[in-house]
Amino acid sequence: MAVYKLFPTQDTTLYSMYPEMNTGLDEILEASLEVGALTTPSPQASRFLIQFSSDEIADMIDNKISGSQWQSNLKCFIANVTALNENTTLETYPVSQSWNMGTGRFGNVPQTQNGASWIWRDYQGSNFWIDGALNPNTTGSYSSSVDVGGGTWYDTVSGSQLFTYYGDKDVNIDVTNITSEWYSSSIPNNGFIVKQQTEFIDDENIQPKLKYFSIDTHTIYPPCLEFKWYDYTWNTGSSTLDTINALPFVVVLENNPGTFYLNSINEFRVYARPEYPFRVFATESLYTKNYYLPEGQSSYAIKDMYTNEFIVDFDDTYTKISADDTSCYFTVFMNGLEPERYYKILIKTIVNGNTVILDDSYYFKIING
């Protein structure tokens, strides 16, 4: 399996409370995207727009995925959440018109109005979001308490995510259907719009308010479009290596120099052996003999060492460990990892019905270069 992350070319927030202004992004930790109600006596809404490069998407599918099974997910990371309900649903759709995020910030005085807002998609006084009849297969929204606007989007493809009160609040929505439409040029790529399923509730105490880090964040949590594709193979050829079939055992991660440049691609090699080999007459050390992990039963994950968060989680489809006539192996694209940080690799496998997770100092660092 391989994972590759694309980062946005632009993003912005649309606030119905401020229909004339480009509201910008610097409310939380200097940069945030927002979905939810605003503090005002009238029913209000906020949504965010986020766009990724069409050329980078095409390059991913044509030159890296190359016909394999794949999935793309929109990922955004929570900065702050208030007034959460027992269940909250976020929806994402492909935006149906072009837009410009501008250069404004939330607290600019005077207001910066050179980007998209609730009414305008370019700058104040130019190009309404809704001006007359909508184009085929597109829709928008209207409330009698606010001006017409808030973006327009195609309603033929979409993605959604349900948040529970105690569950994870990070956005991780499968948007493969939308990305495929962009790649095939069935619809133009004007980015995603993310909104709550239920909006314009006249009570800020029951209208959830979720803020997500944007492209301008100074944290390690910028949003991304994550591609995962199936590159698993098990082709051991004429190899005579045995497979680990009993506990305990030891795994060594080879081809790990310890540091990688940000755009590196590395093939890690996985060497396994029993922790206590059986004594037999042999002409070589039993402690240097390599074994395979069980076929189709092994996967890997990557954690940030400081935050202890999974950057790449175990996945029975997309993080399977492959094998050739030398050893087991897997490939990691380093571009989706933040520079100047340490990471560790975890390996999970199933041996005789026992699920084992190995975390034995498989560390590396990403550096700028």
Side-chain angles (χ1 to χ4, degrees):
M1 172 265 184
V3 174
Y4 200 95
K5 297 181 180 180
L6 304 183
F7 296 100
T9 56
Q10 61 173 354
D11 55 22
T12 194
T13 305
L14 307 179
Y15 291 135
S16 64
M17 180 178 174
Y18 306 110
E20 297 295 333
M21 78 181 270
N22 170 41
T23 53
L25 303 171
D26 62 339
E27 237 187 296
I28 286 288
L29 296 178
E30 297 187 322
S32 71
L33 298 170
E34 183 172 315
V35 181
L38 298 163
T39 304
T40 173
S42 301
Q44 301 294 330
S46 59
R47 304 161 180 172
F48 70 78
L49 308 177
I50 185 166
Q51 187 171 25
F52 299 85
S53 166
S54 294
D55 290 341
E56 290 184 350
I57 292 173
D59 178 67
M60 277 297 312
I61 297 173
D62 290 337
N63 301 319
K64 294 182 177 67
I65 296 173
S66 300
S68 300
Q69 175 186 336
W70 62 278
Q71 178 178 319
S72 61
N73 285 58
L74 176 63
K75 303 186 75 172
C76 303
F77 302 95
I78 195 71
N80 180 264
V81 57
T82 57
L84 193 67
N85 291 331
E86 184 177 358
N87 293 295
T88 301
T89 299
L90 294 190
E91 302 173 326
T92 184
Y93 297 89
V95 182
S96 60
Q97 299 179 83
S98 62
W99 52 279
N100 172 35
M101 72 175 184
T103 59
R105 292 293 185 267
F106 184 84
N108 283 7
V109 179
Q111 297 173 359
T112 303
Q113 299 177 340
N114 63 350
S117 65
W118 187 264
I119 296 178
W120 312 104
R121 57 188 179 90
D122 286 316
Y123 56 89
Q124 182 179 347
S126 176
N127 297 322
F128 287 106
W129 280 110
I130 300 177
D131 187 9
L134 291 166
N135 293 328
N137 300 320
T138 70
T139 189
S141 62
Y142 173 76
S143 170
S144 59
S145 62
V146 296
D147 294 290
V148 174
T152 61
W153 55 90
Y154 291 95
D155 57 7
T156 53
V157 286
S158 64
S160 65
Q161 182 174 352
L162 174 67
F163 297 96
T164 60
Y165 189 83
Y166 292 106
D168 188 0
K169 306 305 183 298
D170 290 339
V171 169
N172 187 7
I173 301 178
D174 185 346
V175 291
T176 309
N177 56 353
I178 297 175
T179 310
S180 298
E181 292 285 288
W182 291 339
Y183 173 69
S184 66
S185 298
S186 298
I187 58 175
N189 174 14
N190 294 308
F192 300 97
I193 185 169
V194 181
K195 58 185 286 292
Q196 290 196 39
Q197 187 178 68
T198 303
E199 298 179 307
F200 299 106
I201 298 175
D202 196 8
D203 188 344
E204 65 180 30
N205 295 314
I206 60 173
Q207 175 72 73
K209 190 174 184 180
L210 302 98
K211 296 181 179 180
Y212 294 91
F213 293 107
S214 84
I215 189 176
D216 295 323
T217 182
H218 295 292
T219 72
I220 63 169
Y221 302 108
C224 67
L225 182 61
E226 181 182 78
F227 283 84
K228 302 184 288 187
W229 65 97
Y230 187 81
D231 65 351
Y232 170 78
T233 62
W234 195 275
N235 184 9
T236 58
S238 57
S239 173
T240 59
L241 297 180
D242 295 326
T243 299
I244 287 289
N245 58 16
L247 304 177
F249 62 95
V250 175
V251 168
V252 176
L253 198 64
E254 294 290 338
N255 196 25
N256 178 19
T259 58
F260 298 96
Y261 287 112
L262 186 59
N263 291 317
S264 299
I265 303 172
N266 192 67
E267 184 178 86
F268 290 95
R269 288 282 165 176
V270 182
Y271 294 137
R273 65 167 176 81
E275 187 170 352
Y276 308 109
F278 290 106
R279 292 184 177 182
V280 296
F281 291 103
T283 58
E284 63 180 356
S285 171
L286 297 177
Y287 293 95
T288 61
K289 181 181 178 182
N290 183 31
Y291 287 71
Y292 289 118
L293 296 176
E295 180 179 354
Q297 300 296 309
S298 306
S299 59
Y300 76 92
I302 300 175
K303 269 190 173 183
D304 184 292
M305 286 185 60
Y306 182 76
T307 65
N308 206 36
E309 296 172 306
F310 279 103
I311 307 303
V312 176
D313 207 345
F314 295 111
D315 191 308
D316 292 338
T317 300
Y318 293 110
T319 63
K320 276 188 177 181
I321 294 177
S322 300
D324 57 18
D325 59 358
T326 300
S327 69
C328 292
Y329 68 92
F330 58 91
T331 302
V332 175
F333 289 78
M334 304 297 176
N335 85 301
L337 306 177
E338 291 293 316
E340 304 306 322
R341 296 186 70 83
Y342 287 90
Y343 299 90
K344 63 179 177 180
I345 293 174
L346 291 78
I347 294 174
K348 182 174 72 172
T349 190
I350 300 175
V351 177
N352 285 340
N354 298 293
T355 299
V356 180
I357 297 179
L358 302 158
D359 177 10
D360 190 18
S361 302
Y362 311 134
Y363 303 142
F364 64 92
K365 181 183 180 182
I366 302 297
I367 59 177
N368 282 310

